[in-house]
Each structure stands twice: as C-alpha cells, then as structure tokens.
Amino acid sequence: MDEKESETHALFLTLFTANEPAIRAYVRRLVPTRQDSADVMQSIALVLWRKFEELRNPEEFRPWAFGIARYEALGWLRDKARNRLVLAEDVLEVVAEESSQQESRLAAQRDALADCLEKLPGDQRELVLAAYAPGASIQNVADRSGRTVAAFYQWLHRIRGRLMNCTHRALKAEGLS
C-alpha cells in the first residue's frame, strides 16, 4: 500500500469509526432484528469503502453514508420480502426518511446521555453500564453492588431518573428540547 492509499485508508477508518454508531442505529430502525442490522452493516461497510473515492467532501460523510445505508437496507429487505415480518417498501421508505431526519436529534440525545453518564461517580457508572451490558445478569450486578435485586432495581430507577433529568437539561441548554 503506497502513501496515498494509506492516507485514504486512514481517513476512511476515522470517518467510519466516528459515524458507525449513528449508521448502525439508523439501520437498526429499518430492519427487524439486531442480527439483521449486523448483517446489513457488513454490507454497508464494504460498499462505503468501495465507493469512498466518490466522496468529494469528508464533512459530508454521514449523509453520504446514510444514503448508502438506506439503499443497502432497502435492498436487503427486498431480498427478504418473502418473510411476513418485513414491511412494505413504501412504508420502509417513510421510515427511512423519518429516521434520517431524526438522526441529528438522536445524536444529540446520545451525546447528552454519554456526558451525563460521565458525571456519575465511577462506581455508579460501572454498575449502570454493567446492568445494561448484553447478556447481563441483574442478580450478578446486584450482588456486585452489595444490594438485593429489589434494592438494586430501586437504585437503578433513581439513577435513570437522574440521567433523564440531566439529559433533558443538557438538551434544553442547547435549545434541542
């Protein structure tokens, strides 16, 4: 790989890594399951890389990637149309369009929540993240916290309320509420 290819590769990885959670969330709203979104994301990553040279302005990466993600997801859904759980294409077009329009608001919410999580004391943040980790056992997390399961759920409910209030305040301060 020569220097130019190496720079292109580095730029692509930087842009893709920064935008991958938003693209994944967008795709997740279009396809039925998380596994489906993982399958579609693999295809999207390959197409994005293959067509990366067509992108003229790196600042336009997210809308460009969303466009590709939309076509890949709709194509995947068309291929799966035999499944009764798949929505009609016109409905999917509406969902895709509304999802694109909502992305900036959702990104602001994700950023605000991440900032609010960072404000929690480390031990509390670790317990919240552990409770919502894939495959987490509330019993194990409650034991780790030194609480009963019932007491842990009460504590988690209070923390979620604090996070929600913090997130709302942050969004309101940015004029996004």
Side-chain angles (χ1 to χ4, degrees):
M1 185 180 296
D2 67 18
E3 188 174 334
K4 183 181 184 316
E5 287 174 329
S6 182
E7 288 174 7
T8 300
H9 189 251
L11 178 60
F12 174 79
L13 286 176
T14 300
L15 293 170
F16 183 74
T17 303
N19 289 284
E20 189 268 342
I23 298 166
R24 183 174 299 278
Y26 176 72
V27 170
R28 181 65 185 98
R29 291 188 297 270
L30 298 177
V31 299
T33 69
R34 291 190 193 289
Q35 182 57 49
D36 295 336
S37 67
D39 294 344
V40 174
M41 280 300 295
Q42 289 179 9
S43 173
I44 291 167
L46 290 172
V47 172
L48 289 173
W49 172 244
R50 219 174 311 138
K51 294 185 173 204
F52 188 62
E53 290 179 359
E54 296 173 15
L55 179 66
R56 297 292 167 229
N57 181 356
E59 292 178 10
E60 296 293 321
F61 183 85
R62 184 176 285 197
W64 175 76
F66 272 39
I68 289 173
R70 178 183 193 159
Y71 286 113
E72 288 298 309
L74 292 174
W76 182 89
L77 288 164
R78 229 180 344 268
D79 292 345
K80 301 294 181 188
R82 293 178 302 277
N83 184 340
R84 290 179 293 143
L85 298 176
V86 176
L87 299 173
E89 190 167 340
D90 58 336
V91 174
L92 290 170
E93 286 288 342
V94 170
V95 171
E97 184 62 33
E98 288 181 5
S99 293
S100 291
Q101 293 171 358
Q102 296 295 322
E103 177 50 36
S104 63
R105 184 180 58 81
L106 294 171
Q109 288 175 340
R110 282 190 299 270
D111 292 344
L113 178 59
D115 290 343
C116 291
L117 273 168
E118 285 298 316
K119 292 176 183 175
L120 288 176
D123 57 333
Q124 291 181 9
R125 182 175 52 252
E126 287 178 25
L127 288 172
V128 169
L129 294 175
Y132 289 101
S137 161
I138 291 297
Q139 178 69 56
N140 291 342
V141 179
D143 290 345
R144 202 168 104 196
S145 75
R147 296 174 178 87
T148 65
V149 170
F152 182 76
Y153 273 121
Q154 288 177 347
W155 173 84
L156 191 58
H157 178 74
R158 287 191 303 272
I159 293 294
R160 282 194 312 250
R162 285 176 45 198
L163 289 170
M164 186 174 69
N165 289 336
C166 175
T167 302
H168 284 301
R169 282 191 309 272
L171 292 172
K172 190 173 184 175
E174 292 181 27
L176 299 172
S177 63

